[in-house]
Amino acid sequence: MKDASEPSNIVSLTQRLDPSSERGGALLNTVRDIAGRRLQILINGMFEHVDDALFDLAEKAENNAAQMHYFDGMREVRKRRPMVERSFLTHVSRELTDFAANQRSVPSSGIQLPVGTAELSLVADNELEESLAITSMIGKNETRLTRELFSVNQRLSVIYGGLKIEDSSNPVGPAALSQAFRLAMRELNAEMRVKLIIYKLFDRYVLASLDELYQEINAELIRAGVLPQLRHEVARGGAAGRAPGAAAADGGQEAVYQGEDDGSASSELLQTLHTLFSARRGVPATAMRIPAGAVQLPSANELIGALSVLQSQAAISQQLPLSAGNALDLAGEVQQLKEHLLAQIGSLRGEKPSQVSTIDEDTIDLVGMLFEFILEDRNLPTEMQVLLARLQIPYLKAAILDRKLFAHRQHPARRLLDSLADAAKGWSAESDRDHRLHDKIKSIVDRLLQDFDDDISIFERLCVELQEFQDISRRRAELAEQRVAESTRGREKLEQARRRAAREILSRIDGHTLPPLIHGVLSRAWANYLVLTILRQGEESSEFRDALRFANDFIDSTKPARTLDERRALRQMLPGIERALRRGLANVAFQESDIDRLLAQLHTYYRHQLGEAVPEAEIQAAAEPNSLPIPESIQPIAESEAELARSEPMVEPPADTPEMQLVAELKPGIWLEFVTGPETVERAKLSWISPMSGRYLFVNRRGLKVADHAPHELAEALARGSARVLDSTALFDRALDAIVGRLSQPASATSPASE
C-alpha cells in the first residue's frame, strides 16, 4: 500500500500543471509527438487519394476546359504536395507550442491569419465557398467527436496551466486542424473547384479519423495520471446531448435547466417556461413526481428510439396533398404526439409508461406548443404551415438530444426553422409558378424526416443549403426589383416633367389668340422638347431657360408688325427662331423634311406679318391646322389649365389615424398580405417609397410588381382589412413569446398563437 505521505501522481481537475515545469513539458511533448505522428500518417493517406479523385473527375468533366482544370490541379498537387504537408504539420506544431508557452491570453477560434492578408479584404465568391466548406466540416466533426473532444479539452487544460480550452480553441481540434490545412493550401496554386475536392478528402481521410488520435492522447494522459476518473457529464449537443435526458430520468431535471445558463435572456426564458409548466401541472418546479417502485421512466435513448419509429411513419405519409383540411388534421396530431410517443415506447419495451420525466415532458409540451403556433401563425400561408408542421418529430428529437435548442438563438436547428419560415412568409402560388421555393422547402422537410437520426449537424448543412438557395433567388429578385423601381421612377419623372412643361406652355399662351400654326408648335412639338430638356438637363439648366425664352419670343412674334420699328424687330428675331426650332424639333424626332415644311409655312406666315405680298392660297394653307407637318405621335401635353388640373394627383391631407401612423413607419423590406379577390391573396414586399410622389411600391418574392399605393390608399386598405402587415420578428421568438403568454393565463383560458 502506498504511504499516505507519498506524493500522488494523479492530477485532478482542480489542479493545474506549469507547462514550463519538467513534468508539464514532458506531457506537452508527448501530446505533440502523438499529434505529429498520427497527422503525418493521415495527411499522407489523404494525398494518396487526391490524384485518383481528380483523375476521375477529369474523365467525367462536362467539357475540355473543366477537364484541363482537373489535370492542371493534379500536376500542381504532385509538385506542391511536400510543401503543403510540411506547412500543415508546422502550423499544428506551432499551435501546440504557442499553447505550451501560454502565449494566448484569450483562446481563439482556430488559427488567425496575419493582419494584411486577403482575409481582411472583401471576400470573393471563391473565398466564401472555401469558408463554407471548412465551417461545414468543422461543425460536423465537432458534433461527431463531442465526447472525445470534451475529455481532451479537460486534460489539455490541466497540463496547459489551467488555460481554458474549448472545441474551437483546442490546438488539435477539428477547427484548428482545418484552419491549419487552409493555411497550408495557400501553397497550392489551383482553382477553387480543385481545392474544394481536396477539402472534402481532408474531411474524409483526416478529420474522420481523429477518433484514434484523441483516444491515444486521452489514454497517454490517463496513464500519466491526468484526470483518470474524468466522466463526460456536461450537457452538450450531438450524440452527447442524450446525457441531459438520462439525468432527467433520474430526477436531475433542475440541474439541466440551470446548467444551460450562458448569461443570456434565453436561459432565463427556459427557466421561466419550466416554472410555468410546473405551475400549470400543479406541482413545484423542484418536486419529484414519480413514487418509488413506479414504472421506470423512459430514458433519452428510449425516447429517441420511439421518435425515430414515429419519424419513419411520418416520412412515409409525406405524399398527402396540401390543404386547409390537412392543417386541421395535423393540429390534432401535434396535440396527440405525447400519447403516441408513450404508446410507441410501450410497444418497444413491453409495458407502457404512464409518464416521462419532468424535463422530457416540458420539452415535449414546448415543442408541441411551438408547432401549434406554426399551424395558427397567420404570417405563414396555409400550405407552408402544413409543410413546416411535419417537422415536429425531428425537432422534438433535436430538443431531447440538445437542450440548448430553445436557449440559443444561433442553434442551427433554430436558425433553420426561422429561415424556412422567413422564406415561406413571402410564398404565394402566383409568385412561385415554377414551384422552386415550394419544392426546396419540401425537400428540406423530407430530408429531415428521412435522414435525421441523431446527428445535429444535419441542421447546419441544411441551413447552408437553404441560404445558398435564398441568395441565388434574392439576386434574381433584386435585379427584377431594380428594374421595376427604375421603371416606376422613370414614369414619375416623365409625368412630373410633362406637368411642368404643360404649366409653362399653358401659362404663356393663356389669353393669346394664336394662329393654329404657332399654337400647334408650342402645345405639341415645343412642349415635348421642354419635357425632354427637363429629363436630360434638369429644370435649373441653361438649356431649359433658353427653351422657355424661345416660347416667349415665339409668342411675341405673332404680334402685329405695323410700324417700321416693329418690322425691324421681327426680322431680327426670325433667324434665332429658325435656329432654335431646327435644333429643338430635331431632338423630338422630327424628320428633316418635316422641319423644312414647317419652316416654309412659318416663312409664309411671317412674310404676311411683315406686310409682304403673299398669295391667298399659301396663307390659307399655312393657317389650316390639318396641314401642320407635325407627326401624330407628338400629341399635346395638355390642352387647357382645367385639363392639367384634373390630371394632377389628388394629395390627401394626412389623417391622424393608427393606420396612417403605421404606414408612416413602414420601411422597405417589410412584407404585407393583400386581398386581391374573393378567395385570393398576394404577399408582397415593400420595395421602394417614391421620393417624388410618396407612393409605396410592392413586389413579390420574384421582384415583380404587385401594386403601388399612395399612403392614404394603403392606410384605407389596412383599415378595411384588405391589407395586413406581416410580422418581421423571427418565428422562434414570436412563438416563445406566445407560449409564455399562453402559459401565464389560467389553465382554462385559450390564447391564439398569433395575431
Side-chain angles (χ1 to χ4, degrees):
M1 177 180 293
K2 181 181 288 187
D3 190 274
S5 62
E6 184 178 340
S8 172
N9 286 328
I10 295 177
V11 182
S12 73
L13 185 58
T14 58
Q15 293 177 304
R16 57 182 66 172
L17 294 173
D18 183 351
S20 63
S21 68
E22 183 177 347
R23 188 181 181 203
L27 290 175
L28 293 176
N29 286 332
T30 299
V31 172
R32 190 160 41 240
D33 291 344
I34 293 171
R37 185 179 70 256
R38 286 270 182 191
L39 291 173
Q40 177 73 67
I41 295 170
L42 294 177
I43 199 72
N44 276 332
M46 183 211 78
F47 273 110
E48 292 301 321
H49 292 85
V50 170
D51 213 65
D52 291 340
L54 292 177
F55 186 81
D56 289 344
L57 288 168
E59 283 193 323
K60 299 172 185 176
E62 64 273 17
N63 54 52
N64 291 336
Q67 188 177 63
M68 287 307 301
H69 288 313
Y70 291 123
F71 283 136
D72 289 344
M74 288 169 59
R75 285 191 291 271
E76 180 70 9
V77 169
R78 290 171 186 168
K79 182 172 65 174
R80 299 275 184 173
R81 171 181 170 177
M83 286 178 279
V84 175
E85 290 185 5
R86 185 165 57 251
S87 176
F88 170 66
L89 295 171
T90 300
H91 283 306
V92 174
S93 178
R94 185 181 302 138
E95 281 287 284
L96 287 159
T97 302
D98 288 348
F99 263 84
N102 199 16
Q103 290 178 0
R104 294 186 180 191
S105 58
V106 179
S108 64
S109 177
I111 292 176
Q112 303 299 311
L113 297 177
V115 175
T117 62
E119 291 293 320
L120 299 183
S121 63
L122 292 176
V123 180
D125 287 345
N126 57 357
E127 287 284 325
L128 179 60
E129 286 187 78
E130 186 180 34
S131 297
L132 288 174
I134 290 172
T135 301
S136 175
M137 63 188 187
I138 289 172
K140 178 178 70 176
N141 285 283
E142 283 184 347
T143 301
R144 182 179 65 83
L145 297 164
T146 296
R147 199 172 293 273
E148 292 84 353
L149 266 176
F150 171 77
S151 300
V152 174
N153 291 346
Q154 296 300 309
R155 292 189 172 99
L156 288 183
S157 179
V158 171
I159 68 174
Y160 280 150
L163 182 65
K164 185 178 179 182
I165 296 178
E166 298 175 343
D167 294 354
S168 59
S169 58
N170 187 325
V172 290
L177 295 180
S178 298
Q179 295 289 8
F181 188 65
R182 182 181 191 176
L183 288 175
M185 285 285 283
R186 293 176 183 238
E187 301 284 349
L188 206 62
N189 185 21
E191 278 218 343
M192 184 49 63
R193 72 173 81 182
V194 172
K195 288 188 175 184
L196 291 176
I197 298 301
I198 298 174
Y199 282 129
K200 288 181 182 177
L201 296 174
F202 180 79
D203 183 19
R204 184 181 304 170
Y205 293 105
V206 178
L207 298 185
S209 302
L210 290 180
D211 316 58
E212 297 176 1
L213 169 62
Y214 298 153
Q215 288 165 11
E216 184 175 352
I217 290 175
N218 279 319
E220 191 63 37
L221 294 179
I222 288 171
R223 276 196 295 273
V226 180
L227 305 181
Q229 305 301 320
L230 178 66
R231 296 178 60 192
H232 183 215
E233 298 175 344
V234 182
R236 297 171 65 84
R242 290 189 286 271
D250 297 327
Q253 69 272 14
E254 190 68 22
V256 176
Y257 274 108
Q258 294 175 350
E260 296 296 339
D261 183 18
D262 64 348
S264 69
S266 296
S267 299
E268 295 178 11
L269 174 63
L270 275 187
Q271 188 62 50
T272 299
L273 287 168
H274 173 49
T275 303
L276 288 171
F277 276 126
S278 299
R280 202 169 184 80
R281 297 185 188 112
V283 296
T286 57
M288 290 292 296
R289 302 188 296 113
I290 306 302
V295 175
Q296 183 182 4
L297 293 176
S299 67
N301 284 335
E302 284 183 292
L303 289 172
I304 296 300
L307 284 169
S308 294
V309 175
L310 296 176
Q311 182 176 317
S312 299
Q313 296 170 357
I316 293 172
S317 64
Q318 272 290 295
Q319 306 307 317
L320 290 172
L322 302 178
S323 69
N326 285 340
L328 295 175
D329 294 340
L330 275 170
E333 293 177 20
V334 165
Q335 295 167 351
Q336 296 167 12
L337 180 58
K338 188 192 301 184
E339 188 62 30
H340 293 329
L341 181 57
L342 290 173
Q344 186 60 49
I345 292 172
S347 67
L348 292 174
R349 68 155 58 167
E351 59 176 351
K352 179 181 175 182
S354 59
Q355 59 192 51
V356 294
S357 68
T358 301
I359 188 171
D360 287 332
E361 186 171 12
D362 286 355
T363 302
I364 293 168
D365 290 346
L366 187 53
V367 173
M369 294 179 79
L370 166 66
F371 281 88
E372 286 178 19
F373 177 89
I374 288 174
L375 284 169
E376 298 171 3
D377 183 17
R378 292 183 63 199
N379 246 37
L380 296 172
T382 301
E383 292 88 340
M384 294 294 118
Q385 290 176 333
V386 173
L387 266 180
L388 296 186
R390 289 173 172 162
L391 290 174
Q392 183 185 13
I393 295 174
Y395 269 80
L396 179 52
K397 280 177 68 175
I400 291 173
L401 286 166
D402 188 355
R403 307 288 181 187
K404 293 179 181 178
L405 191 156
F406 282 94
H408 292 175
R409 277 193 171 91
Q410 293 306 311
H411 192 285
R414 181 164 172 172
R415 286 192 290 111
L416 177 62
L417 191 57
D418 280 341
S419 297
L420 286 169
D422 189 57
K425 179 171 65 176
W427 181 88
S428 67
E430 177 65 25
S431 66
D432 193 35
R433 291 182 180 179
D434 56 3
H435 306 293
R436 287 172 58 87
L437 177 59
H438 175 276
D439 291 349
K440 170 54 68 175
I441 293 176
K442 185 175 185 301
S443 75
I444 289 175
V445 172
D446 290 346
R447 284 163 63 185
L448 277 174
L449 282 167
Q450 294 163 11
D451 301 343
F452 176 44
D453 185 15
D454 61 359
D455 182 6
I456 296 289
S457 67
I458 188 174
F459 291 96
E460 183 64 46
R461 294 196 297 274
L462 292 175
C463 258
V464 172
E465 182 180 313
L466 179 61
Q467 185 60 51
E468 290 173 349
F469 172 84
Q470 286 288 81
D471 287 344
I472 293 171
S473 301
R474 190 177 296 110
R475 283 194 291 270
R476 289 187 184 134
E478 283 173 354
L479 290 174
E481 240 180 283
Q482 187 176 356
R483 286 194 291 267
V484 170
E486 288 297 331
S487 174
T488 304
R489 185 183 290 109
R491 283 197 303 273
E492 288 197 350
K493 282 185 177 180
L494 175 60
E495 191 58 35
Q496 193 177 56
R498 287 171 63 87
R499 290 196 185 97
R500 174 67 192 275
R503 281 195 298 270
E504 295 292 352
I505 294 298
L506 291 174
S507 67
R508 283 165 171 77
I509 63 179
D510 186 40
H512 291 85
T513 303
L514 300 177
L517 177 62
I518 306 296
H519 188 282
V521 169
L522 286 172
S523 65
R524 294 173 63 182
W526 203 253
N528 279 279
Y529 175 66
L530 286 178
V531 171
L532 192 64
T533 304
I534 292 171
L535 293 176
R536 287 181 176 175
Q537 276 83 32
E539 298 180 34
E540 304 301 325
S541 64
S542 59
E543 289 84 354
F544 184 63
R545 289 194 297 272
D546 290 343
L548 293 179
R549 192 176 299 114
F550 166 82
N552 295 333
D553 292 344
F554 203 34
I555 293 171
D556 287 345
S557 72
T558 64
K559 295 176 181 178
R562 296 185 179 89
T563 67
L564 186 61
D565 289 340
E566 289 172 345
R567 293 191 186 100
R568 186 182 302 113
L570 178 58
R571 285 194 178 91
Q572 290 174 349
M573 291 172 61
L574 293 181
I577 289 175
E578 181 175 347
R579 284 194 302 273
L581 270 177
R582 281 192 179 277
R583 183 177 63 254
L585 298 182
N587 274 287
V588 289
F590 266 73
Q591 298 295 324
E592 190 68 29
S593 58
D594 290 335
I595 295 175
D596 288 339
R597 284 180 55 207
L598 180 61
L599 290 176
Q601 290 180 348
L602 283 172
H603 288 160
T604 299
Y605 169 74
Y606 285 126
R607 284 167 57 201
H608 180 68
Q609 283 287 89
L610 291 168
E612 297 179 11
V614 180
E616 189 65 26
E618 290 186 29
I619 297 174
Q620 289 298 328
E624 181 61 43
N626 294 332
S627 69
L628 293 178
I630 299 177
E632 285 299 317
S633 60
I634 301 179
Q635 294 297 317
I637 300 296
E639 293 289 3
S640 67
E641 290 281 1
E643 181 183 336
L644 180 61
R646 285 195 300 271
S647 70
E648 290 283 356
M650 295 291 291
V651 179
E652 293 287 324
D656 188 18
T657 64
E659 290 79 16
M660 278 301 294
Q661 292 174 7
L662 177 58
V663 169
E665 293 170 1
L666 293 180
K667 298 290 187 293
I670 200 79
W671 283 84
L672 281 80
E673 182 182 78
F674 293 95
V675 178
T676 54
E679 296 182 357
T680 58
V681 296
E682 183 66 77
R683 288 170 177 246
K685 181 182 72 172
L686 175 56
S687 172
W688 179 68
I689 303 174
S690 169
M692 290 184 286
S693 65
R695 295 184 71 84
Y696 287 59
L697 174 67
F698 294 91
V699 299
N700 62 21
R701 57 171 296 274
R702 293 165 58 201
L704 303 180
K705 181 179 176 180
V706 171
D708 70 289
H709 297 286
H712 71 278
E713 295 171 345
L714 188 54
E716 290 169 3
L718 290 168
R720 64 175 177 265
S722 60
R724 180 171 64 87
V725 179
L726 301 180
D727 201 322
S728 58
T729 309
L731 171 69
F732 240 98
D733 290 337
R734 289 188 290 111
L736 290 177
D737 286 344
I739 290 169
V740 170
R742 181 173 172 182
L743 290 174
S744 301
Q745 294 178 1
S748 60
T750 59
S751 172
S754 175
E755 289 299 328

